[in-house]
Structures are given as structure tokens and as C-alpha cells.
Amino acid sequence: MSRVQKGLVAGLAATVVVSIIEAINMTVGHWAVAFPQLLSVILQQGADQPAIGWVAHLVAGLGLGAIFGVLCPRLPTDTPESKGILFAVGAFVLMGLVIAPIGGAGMFFMRAGFGSLAWMIASHAIYGIVLGNVYGRLVAREKRHRVPVGGATAH
């Protein structure tokens, strides 16, 4: 499995976890702006279409996973989880500087309130932890099952 494929699998797993907490946020408390909701508003130019926001959220999570697969070996930390957090914080900074203002939430979601800023930081950290953990497990699994060139498996 290539690094990009591992990143896609890890990105899917991380996106599913974050989607669960985003769904809880949107249905139970709605204490902060949800990323799928923000994406829906941006893509529909003001109209809130939840399905479009969720699809865009999935695509973003998979895309970030693929990029992480390529960049992971080059990130300066030691563990896959810390690499995932570092990567996700970088994605958050880009989102806060570019996507949030386009969606009308202001730079780093400040028009939406401090709760939205804290929510986005927390959800990105969770995404990064899951992303790094799943990616690290896939790499470790592949290393365990590798057969030396010209060698045979141990019996």
C-alpha cells in the first residue's frame, strides 16, 4: 500500500471520527460553527445545504489524508500522532486564514465567537491524532508483513 493510500485510509478514519463529533455539535448543542455547515455556506454562496457541506467535509478529510501520507515522513516530530497534530494545526491555520473569512466567519472564526475558534482547534487536534494513529498503525503493519527480497517467510 502506498503512502498516499495509507493517508487516504487514515484520512477517512479521522474524518469519520470528527464527523461524529460535528454531528453531535449540530444536533445536540450547536455551541460552535460546524465545519460542514461552513463549507455548505461557502459552496452554495449563502444557502445552507447540509448534504453539500458533509460531502465537502469528506472530500477535504480525504484530501488532507492523502497530503499527510506524502508529508508524514518529512514532518519534524517523533510519533505519528504528533505528526498528525502538527499537520492538522497547519491545516487549521490555513483554514482560519483563508476558508473562514470566505465563509463569513471572520479570520480564525472570530465573528462566530471564541467557542467556534476553540471548537475548530479541538476538532482539528482530534482529526490529527486519529490521522497519525491510523497512518502509524498501517505503516507498522506493513513493516511486520514485509518479506525480504529473495527471502521466504518464516515458518
Side-chain angles (χ1 to χ4, degrees):
M1 185 182 296
S2 74
R3 290 191 326 222
V4 171
Q5 289 171 323
K6 289 182 198 104
L8 285 169
V9 170
L12 177 63
T15 302
V16 167
V17 170
V18 170
S19 293
I20 291 168
I21 64 171
E22 287 284 15
I24 292 168
N25 171 34
M26 292 172 72
T27 57
V28 176
H30 213 2
W31 52 83
V33 172
F35 189 57
Q37 185 179 26
L38 178 69
L39 289 173
S40 173
V41 170
I42 291 170
L43 295 172
Q44 292 298 307
Q45 298 163 349
D48 185 13
Q49 297 288 328
I52 292 173
W54 284 105
V55 169
H57 184 247
L58 177 65
V59 169
L62 290 171
L64 287 173
I67 294 167
F68 178 75
V70 172
L71 295 179
C72 183
R74 296 174 183 92
L75 293 173
T77 62
D78 294 333
T79 66
E81 292 82 4
S82 62
K83 289 174 186 273
I85 292 171
L86 178 65
F87 178 79
V89 167
F92 166 76
V93 169
L94 287 174
M95 185 181 73
L97 290 172
V98 177
I99 296 172
I102 291 171
M107 208 171 264
F108 291 106
F109 302 93
M110 290 319 297
R111 281 194 189 148
F114 181 75
S116 292
L117 172 65
W119 176 258
M120 288 296 170
I121 292 170
S123 63
H124 277 76
I126 292 167
Y127 176 87
I129 291 168
V130 174
L131 180 71
N133 185 280
V134 171
Y135 184 85
R137 288 173 184 263
L138 290 171
V139 169
R141 184 182 79 175
E142 189 172 274
K143 284 181 181 177
R144 281 193 310 268
H145 293 105
R146 216 173 253 164
V147 176
V149 176
T153 58
H155 294 9

